[in-house]
Amino acid sequence: IEFVANSNSFVPHFHIPLQSGSDTLLKLMKRRYLRETYDNRVDAIKKIMPNACIGVDVIVGFPGETDALFLPTPVHRLDNQTSGLLLIAKTKTAQIELGKQFKNQTIQKKYCTIVVGEVNNNRVINIPIENKDAETNFEIIKIVKSLKYKELSCLKVSPKTGRTHQIRIHLASIGHPILGDKLYGYSTMLHKGKGLFLSATEITFLHPKTFKTVHIKIDVPNKFNSLLNREKRRWNTYNL
């Protein structure tokens, strides 16, 4: 690696006979190395030559290989700073099937969020994002008075599509940015150490093997109720 990095004659290209990403299969193939060996080699190459090209050989269908993924793999994503539920596939079959459900928009996700201001009514937001259709539904859970923001609204949000930052963009577009959103809100909305007040709390999908409906629901993070109760308490204290 160092020789190529210091050479003016060699092209920074490396071809790695990885064969498999599973240590178990590598042992069955009687290879004298583990996946970590190649992790270290790739890290060393990228550290010295960030723009180097790296190719690999991978064998699939080797006797003893199962449908299980070498590493559990997320089948969707959560926006940066968003907390909550994330679907992880443990097999290739599950990954493909759940991917189809997301593509066909048959998986239902619900989020809880706190936004600045008093939201007047439940509604549907249909505003394109990057020239792509985007739809977000929300309903009001509660509204509390706040000394700092006048009002805060806690909402249950159901995005029909899954554009990047969709919920954050849509709520900001109607004048109710999410608390803690430094990208689409404003600096006075930030609470040190609290992050973004947006959490994925429910998800409904068809089990990728049995095709039975699965519904998973979790409680909202403690910081949500703590903040709402604190703001309500402060308002009542100074408005007696």
Side-chain angles (χ1 to χ4, degrees):
I1 295 173
E2 292 181 356
F3 176 82
V4 173
N6 295 323
S7 173
N8 293 322
S9 301
F10 284 84
V11 175
H13 179 275
F14 297 85
H15 192 82
I16 300 176
L18 176 61
Q19 308 305 328
S20 176
S22 166
D23 288 343
T24 300
L25 287 182
L26 288 172
K27 291 178 181 178
L28 290 174
M29 294 175 180
K30 301 187 184 302
R31 299 296 189 260
R32 293 178 293 178
Y33 51 81
L34 300 177
R35 191 187 69 185
E36 184 180 4
T37 306
Y38 283 98
D39 285 342
N40 294 336
R41 296 291 189 277
V42 171
D43 287 343
I45 293 170
K46 300 303 289 183
K47 183 177 181 179
I48 300 176
M49 292 169 283
N51 297 318
C53 295
I54 301 175
V56 297
D57 285 333
V58 178
I59 297 175
V60 296
F62 189 83
E65 185 175 1
T66 66
D67 185 45
L69 292 168
F70 302 138
L71 292 174
T73 304
V75 293
H76 65 117
R77 56 176 172 71
L78 292 177
D79 287 344
N80 185 29
Q81 298 186 32
T82 302
S83 63
L85 294 167
L86 182 69
L87 275 184
I88 305 291
K90 297 177 67 176
T91 67
K92 189 67 176 178
T93 300
Q95 183 185 36
I96 293 172
E97 176 55 37
L98 291 171
K100 289 179 180 178
Q101 292 182 43
F102 272 106
K103 183 178 180 180
N104 295 330
Q105 299 180 359
T106 57
I107 291 181
Q108 300 175 10
K109 295 187 292 180
K110 293 184 179 181
Y111 295 74
C112 184
T113 187
I114 295 177
V115 300
V116 175
E118 180 180 2
V119 179
N120 295 321
N121 54 274
N122 303 336
R123 61 177 292 185
V124 178
I125 305 174
N126 286 293
I127 299 176
I129 296 176
E130 294 184 350
N131 297 318
K132 296 180 180 179
D133 292 338
E135 179 179 318
T136 302
N137 303 265
F138 69 81
E139 58 182 281
I140 303 166
I141 299 176
K142 67 166 67 172
I143 298 172
V144 300
K145 293 291 186 179
S146 169
L147 290 176
K148 185 175 182 180
Y149 304 106
K150 295 185 178 179
E151 292 90 16
L152 290 173
S153 300
C154 184
L155 310 176
K156 179 182 287 186
V157 185
S158 304
K160 185 176 180 180
T161 51
R163 310 303 177 202
T164 300
H165 297 175
Q166 176 176 314
I167 296 175
R168 298 162 66 181
I169 292 172
H170 274 177
L171 291 174
S173 73
I174 61 171
H176 297 291
I178 296 175
L179 197 64
D181 192 343
K182 59 184 178 181
L183 184 59
Y184 301 103
Y186 34 90
S187 59
T188 55
M189 295 169 34
L190 305 181
H191 286 250
K192 187 175 181 180
K194 298 299 182 182
L196 187 69
F197 282 79
L198 177 63
S199 182
T201 55
E202 294 184 55
I203 190 165
T204 304
F205 59 96
L206 297 180
H207 191 283
K209 187 173 182 180
T210 65
F211 296 102
K212 292 182 178 180
T213 299
V214 178
H215 177 72
I216 302 173
K217 182 178 180 180
I218 61 173
D219 294 332
V220 297
N222 291 332
K223 69 178 184 180
F224 280 61
N225 289 324
S226 295
L227 179 110
L228 292 174
N229 291 335
R230 183 175 69 250
E231 292 297 312
K232 181 179 180 180
R233 186 169 58 249
R234 291 181 64 206
W235 174 269
N236 291 337
T237 300
Y238 289 96
N239 287 275
L240 291 177

